[in-house]
Amino acid sequence: MTSSAPVFTGVAVAVVTFFDEHGHVDTVATASHARHLAERGVRAIVVAGSTGEASHLSTKERLQLLDAVKAAVPERVPVILGTGNLAAGVSVPNLTRRAAEHGASAAITLSPDRGDIREFYGEVVDAAGTMPVLAYHWPKVSPPGISIEDLKACKVAGLKDSTGDAERLLDELAHFHKPIYTGSAAIVTYAGQLGCAGAILAAANLEPELCIDAFAGNMQAQKDLLWAHKLISTAGIKGIKEELARRFGTSTACR
């Protein structure tokens, strides 16, 4: 898939994955949360991404979550599956192919921490068929990330960059002429004003309206997002779940 048409524009949520008291994936609670956020205006749902504890989910669990969320949200809302960050020996291209078979709107695939990045994304894109694949640059989680030269050579349909690095974002916009999504709630307004296609945000689990307003250029909304950004930076997924539990009584269990 090499089309430059964006999978979505605006703000997507990198949705958390809820677990029950036995540690099993709670597809009903996760899908209900996704539907609630869609009703509040998010333009797409990313399932089993980093915020969804992807590294602790099996292939089967990821596909079950995809099916449940797709059934719960309106058809107009794309559902994107995280297909990277798999256990050693598990095939990323195979999961990507299965995501397409299950009707995912796109795959988002974290860059590998070893091997040839161009070859890796080539195999993933081939496996996806007509389904778009978004590359995912977050060297803090999966070093070394994706160099600009590698990015330009990859046949992906777009990029998510979670670094929050303003200089890197400018470099991407100058040299990678496909849809770019920021993954940092600290630079949402900046990304929107520069012409990024959208944002994929963990903070949208907590403050979807602020994320949407910030991307649209509302500077006060950007400032008001600071607390959520800092909560996620310091307390991580557990912090998001504890705040959601305070508001909605949902589970705080993490893997």
Side-chain angles (χ1 to χ4, degrees), residues 162-233:
S162 286
T163 62
D165 182 332
E167 182 179 343
R168 164 75 188 206
L169 187 61
L170 287 169
D171 210 2
E172 290 162 356
L173 287 162
H175 296 105
F176 181 67
H177 305 299
K178 292 179 182 178
I180 296 171
Y181 301 92
T182 183
S184 172
I187 60 167
V188 185
T189 301
Y190 181 76
Q193 295 300 295
L194 285 172
C196 286
I200 300 171
L201 301 173
N205 284 282
L206 301 172
E207 298 289 359
E209 293 89 356
L210 283 180
C211 292
I212 291 162
D213 289 349
F215 184 74
N218 185 322
M219 293 293 186
Q220 189 58 51
Q222 176 68 85
K223 292 175 183 177
D224 291 345
L225 265 177
L226 178 62
W227 80 268
H229 174 72
K230 292 184 78 169
L231 173 75
I232 294 162
S233 297

Side-chain angles (χ1 to χ4, degrees), residues 139-157:
K140 177 182 174 182
V141 168
S142 186
I146 311 169
S147 72
I148 295 294
E149 288 306 309
D150 281 340
L151 183 61
K152 287 161 59 179
C154 288
K155 298 290 193 283
V156 292

